[in-house]
Amino acid sequence: MNSDADPRFQRSRQAILSAARALLLEKGPVAVTHAQVAERAGVGRATVYRHWPRSDELLAEAMATVPMPLLDNPTAPTRQWLTRELTTLAEQLALADVRAVATTLASTALWDQQMDARRAQFATILAERLAGALDAAQDRGEVTLAVPVRDAAAFLVGPIYYRSTIEHGPAGSTLIETLIAAIGAWSAP
Amino acid sequence: MNSDADPRFQRSRQAILSAARALLLEKGPVAVTHAQVAERAGVGRATVYRHWPRSDELLAEAMATVPMPLLDNPTAPTRQWLTRELTTLAEQLALADVRAVATTLASTALWDQQMDARRAQFATILAERLAGALDAAQDRGEVTLAVPVRDAAAFLVGPIYYRSTIEHGPAGSTLIETLIAAIGAWSAP
């Protein structure tokens, strides 16, 4: 009946995804049901079922429309790159939609394999990018690390994540500079 | 009809709370519905409604039966107290029930005032206890802090929380010792 090329099909798909994302941000993941999404999107419930037979898959796809904070490719000097990237990450984690997706991901990952795969992918990208950048910085003589590189993401991102999701406050420049200074002895710029 | 003193009322209340907690751990907060809790507890759905007219309040009360990691009252020497308390906190956050409650709390706090009050209380206890202990340690000459005391909880608890809830790994003694060493210059014991 419907096909991916049908413009009406594409339009209702976009309307459903937007409605699911809006419900997640306003009321949380429990509100992303076929009935509530249909009402918000102004389509019939059968249409929602046709696109997403399962509401957990609709939730996952709505969450995927929110860009999650990652780290850009490292550049030297590493200390300036870290300051810039951690500041951006803190600003993103202060946004309501990113905070909603991050906490929903951490929670649903415990009970949903697809969500857990996304959680693991997110954690791995941050961990590998930080470990790679700090390893290279140490090789270049920029820093002598006080932290094993495998702990760098927990050490640097963990406090910003905790400040945002548990303490509900901003991770300011003092916290970010303190973390970067504490990860090792930096040589003078 | 029923009263708090009625032993049958108390028994069904306990059965419902246990069922709600088991469902939360096995399937997540979305499974804590009147219907599923009634089935698991072996009581009628009307009985669940009589005790908890709202399922979000039942979820909150089931979550409150899981003891959350806090910090015991500080003792000197502070460095040993920190090692002991952060090790306990990491062990607790590695437990499935504590991890389920912590991530559910962080997520539901965004949309539920009662949950948000519990989140804030949890964050405040950890922050005040750490700030108080580290302030006193600095006054006694045990440590010269590299981190503002208001950031101590994010700095020390954040990485352990991130390791548990995002990286799904254990926060081992290396990470804990690195964090304690990085928070300031400790005088020789």
Side-chain angles (χ1 to χ4, degrees), chain A residues 55-173:
Chain A
S55 62
D56 57 342
E57 290 174 353
L58 171 54
L59 172 63
E61 203 151 335
M63 285 167 65
T65 67
V66 176
M68 292 298 285
L70 295 170
L71 301 166
D72 274 343
N73 285 322
T75 53
T78 305
R79 188 168 188 165
Q80 280 82 331
W81 175 78
L82 273 179
T83 301
R84 198 169 58 238
E85 292 300 318
L86 294 179
T87 301
T88 302
L89 189 139
E91 287 166 355
Q92 290 175 302
L93 273 172
L95 299 173
D97 56 354
V98 174
R99 190 149 67 175
V101 169
T103 60
T104 300
L105 189 63
S107 173
T108 55
L110 299 177
W111 302 287
D112 180 316
Q113 278 197 334
Q114 186 189 357
M115 292 288 195
D116 192 51
R118 288 180 193 226
R119 173 207 58 76
Q121 186 185 31
F122 175 65
T124 302
I125 290 172
L126 292 180
E128 290 185 348
R129 210 159 274 179
L130 280 171
L134 288 169
D135 255 340
Q138 189 158 245
D139 287 349
R140 283 193 298 267
E142 290 183 66
V143 66
T144 303
L145 294 170
V147 174
V149 288
R150 67 174 178 281
D151 290 334
F155 191 93
L156 293 171
V157 179
I160 297 169
Y161 180 71
Y162 182 86
R163 174 59 55 85
S164 165
T165 63
I166 298 293
E167 295 188 332
H168 282 199
S173 58

Side-chain angles (χ1 to χ4, degrees), chain A residues 23-30 96 99-104 106-111 116 119-120 122-123 126-127 146-148 150-163 165-168 174-175 178-179 182-183, chain B residues 23-30 96 99-104 106-111 116 119-120 122-123 126-127 146-148 150-163 165-168 174-175 178-179 182-183:
Chain A
L23 284 165
L24 169 65
L25 298 188
E26 286 169 29
K27 299 182 182 178
V30 292
R99 190 149 67 175
V101 169
T103 60
T104 300
S107 173
T108 55
L110 299 177
W111 302 287
D116 192 51
R119 173 207 58 76
F122 175 65
L126 292 180
V147 174
R150 67 174 178 281
D151 290 334
F155 191 93
L156 293 171
V157 179
I160 297 169
Y161 180 71
Y162 182 86
R163 174 59 55 85
T165 63
I166 298 293
E167 295 188 332
H168 282 199
T174 304
L175 177 58
T178 305
L179 291 169
I183 206 165
Chain B
L23 283 165
L24 169 65
L25 299 187
E26 286 170 30
K27 300 182 182 179
V30 290
R99 190 149 66 175
V101 169
T103 60
T104 300
S107 174
T108 55
L110 299 178
W111 301 287
D116 192 51
R119 173 207 58 74
F122 175 65
L126 292 179
V147 174
R150 68 176 178 279
D151 290 335
F155 192 94
L156 294 171
V157 179
I160 299 170
Y161 180 72
Y162 182 86
R163 174 59 55 83
T165 62
I166 298 293
E167 295 188 331
H168 283 198
T174 304
L175 177 57
T178 305
L179 291 169
I183 206 164

Side-chain angles (χ1 to χ4, degrees), chain B residues 7-87:
Chain B
R8 284 170 307 176
F9 188 83
Q10 285 302 325
R11 269 200 305 276
S12 66
R13 184 185 163 82
Q14 284 309 313
I16 291 165
L17 268 182
S18 296
R21 177 171 162 162
L23 283 165
L24 169 65
L25 299 187
E26 286 170 30
K27 300 182 182 179
V30 290
V32 182
T33 62
H34 287 99
Q36 289 193 65
V37 169
E39 190 185 342
R40 172 69 67 105
V43 302
R45 209 184 291 192
T47 307
V48 182
Y49 274 101
R50 202 175 308 130
H51 287 276
W52 283 279
R54 290 174 47 177
S55 61
D56 58 341
E57 289 175 353
L58 171 54
L59 172 64
E61 201 150 336
M63 286 166 66
T65 68
V66 176
M68 291 300 285
L70 295 172
L71 301 165
D72 275 343
N73 285 323
T75 54
T78 305
R79 188 168 188 163
Q80 280 83 330
W81 174 76
L82 272 179
T83 301
R84 198 167 60 238
E85 292 300 318
L86 294 180
T87 302

Side-chain angles (χ1 to χ4, degrees), chain B residues 109-134:
Chain B
L110 299 178
W111 301 287
D112 180 315
Q113 278 197 335
Q114 186 188 357
M115 293 287 193
D116 192 51
R118 289 180 193 226
R119 173 207 58 74
Q121 186 184 31
F122 175 65
T124 302
I125 290 172
L126 292 179
E128 289 184 348
R129 211 160 274 179
L130 281 170
L134 288 169

